[in-house]
Amino acid sequence: RVASSSAAYECTLKSEVKRPIQATNANSDCIRCTKLAPIQQLSQSALSITMLMRQASRRVAAAARQSSSASSSTTHFGDRTVPTEEKAGLVKGVFSSVANNYDLMNDLMSGGMHRLWKDDFVGRLNLPAIARATGTAPRCLDVAGGTGDIAFRMAESLAAWLPPLEEDGAIPLTVSDPNEEMLAVGRERQQQRGIDASCLQFEVGDAQSLPYDDETFDVLTISFGLRNVTDIDKALREMRRVLKRGGRFECLEFSKVEPAPLRALYDAYSKHVIPEIGHRVADDRASYDYLVESIRKHPSQLELLSQLAIAGFKS
């Protein structure tokens, strides 16, 4: 599903449907997971996409084998190769540095477009329909939720069902993030919006080791956070673990831009303009250099789709 005019994309996956997965390109730089018709009804285009997915799966597996045999103790941090155990701390340092300017920088870097992407992202969850069907607000977890942009939109869409009627019931909305500085900004914004603690909570949590029981949440989201995880496959398995059977997972993330002329334009903008904005507004060029490079290192749309399938997600 198109999430932006540049490189953002959305994965919409449900864990209960027992059907194959089809990747459908939209504007070339976005992917959406949908249901396939029976094999005999597949169009030539669908068959070509299926072949691309298989090739992507083989590339993912080959890359994993190569990484394991060559150097299982290193990973990328932007354009640098660092010891695996150091990446989480380095990423934490980046977001500690940018926390106070995070929302302003998002506006400047995207021209405000990130707000539209997030509105569309949360709108497609259709949380009110889930609440009407069950009579209560669904339990939602926003992983790497930082300053609460996604959670606040969820709270707004579920306003008619918040706070929960049951005093001892579980808190419907949870933001999990490994960075305390980002969470502090989120809690402050929560108070400014008057959202009660019985509706929304901010908790420290690592996407690779979520502190929740199996099958806890009805809806799980991650927005512009997956590329910062050290081990994406492990994080996807964890998110699948805490999601209820039949629950819904959605990911909003930047990825590879197509076609080539647009990719060249985006690369020039992200390499030269974004770090300069970080330098002038936040006095922090290095952190925004990392954020740009983390996008370049992130798996392509089809590769990520294959990783999601391997983690156990089905559409």
Side-chain angles (χ1 to χ4, degrees):
R1 178 68 189 175
V2 176
S4 78
S5 59
S6 59
Y9 65 89
E10 175 187 88
C11 298
T12 303
L13 298 169
K14 297 182 181 179
S15 56
E16 83 280 11
V17 183
K18 309 290 187 182
R19 295 193 182 182
I21 296 176
Q22 175 188 9
T24 303
N25 238 337
N27 284 6
S28 298
D29 59 338
C30 306
I31 60 171
R32 183 182 182 189
C33 306
T34 57
K35 300 175 185 175
L36 275 179
I39 296 298
Q40 62 269 25
Q41 298 177 16
L42 286 176
S43 65
Q44 186 63 41
S45 174
L47 286 172
S48 298
I49 292 172
T50 302
M51 292 175 64
L52 286 173
M53 286 181 58
R54 290 174 179 170
Q55 292 172 2
S57 297
R58 288 195 290 269
R59 287 198 296 270
V60 169
R65 288 194 299 269
Q66 181 178 2
S67 175
S68 176
S69 61
S71 179
S72 59
S73 61
T74 61
T75 187
H76 66 82
F77 175 72
D79 59 356
R80 297 161 48 195
T81 299
V82 299
T84 300
E85 63 273 13
E86 292 183 9
K87 180 172 179 176
L90 292 169
V91 171
K92 183 177 181 180
V94 167
F95 284 94
S96 295
S97 176
V98 305
N100 290 328
N101 295 294
Y102 187 72
D103 298 307
L104 172 62
M105 286 298 299
N106 280 343
D107 281 330
L108 294 175
M109 291 187 297
S110 69
M113 285 293 294
H114 76 102
R115 298 177 182 271
L116 300 178
W117 301 337
K118 292 169 182 175
D119 287 345
D120 180 72
F121 181 66
V122 173
R124 293 183 179 283
L125 293 172
N126 204 5
L127 298 179
I130 299 175
R132 285 193 295 270
T134 62
T136 186
R139 287 200 68 185
C140 304
L141 174 65
D142 186 34
V143 177
T147 58
D149 268 4
I150 298 299
F152 296 143
R153 286 168 169 80
M154 289 178 172
E156 183 177 355
S157 70
L158 288 171
W161 289 271
L162 298 176
L165 296 178
E166 302 84 0
E167 293 185 1
D168 297 330
I171 296 175
L173 306 177
T174 300
V175 173
S176 174
D177 195 283
N179 191 282
E180 184 59 53
E181 286 82 358
M182 295 285 283
L183 293 172
V185 174
R187 293 187 187 104
E188 182 178 352
R189 296 176 68 195
Q190 178 182 9
Q191 292 179 352
Q192 293 170 352
R193 285 165 170 74
I195 301 175
D196 193 79
S198 65
C199 305
L200 169 62
Q201 61 183 345
F202 287 80
E203 296 185 333
V204 175
D206 183 349
Q208 298 169 108
S209 182
L210 294 169
Y212 308 109
D213 293 334
D214 294 358
E215 299 192 19
T216 296
F217 297 96
D218 302 292
V219 176
L220 192 150
T221 59
I222 183 167
S223 170
F224 303 124
L226 191 60
R227 69 182 187 275
N228 299 308
V229 173
T230 302
D231 188 336
I232 291 177
D233 292 319
K234 184 176 181 180
L236 291 175
R237 290 194 299 270
E238 268 294 275
M239 288 186 276
R240 177 64 184 85
R241 178 185 66 80
V242 303
L243 186 64
K244 290 180 182 178
R245 186 174 296 276
R248 183 163 183 171
F249 167 83
E250 295 222 13
C251 172
L252 178 66
E253 187 56 272
F254 290 104
S255 188
K256 313 303 181 188
V257 183
E258 298 292 347
L262 182 59
R263 181 169 64 248
L265 180 63
Y266 173 77
D267 285 346
Y269 170 78
S270 61
K271 183 175 181 179
H272 300 292
V273 178
I274 290 178
E276 184 64 20
I277 294 175
H279 171 63
R280 292 179 179 272
V281 175
D283 192 25
D284 187 356
R285 181 186 297 273
S287 292
Y288 291 93
D289 276 329
Y290 160 73
L291 293 175
V292 169
E293 289 301 324
S294 69
I295 295 171
R296 289 197 178 95
K297 296 290 186 180
H298 193 59
S300 71
Q301 290 91 324
L302 287 176
E303 289 169 339
L304 181 56
L305 185 58
S306 296
Q307 289 175 278
L308 287 163
I310 291 170
F313 290 98
K314 299 188 189 326
S315 175

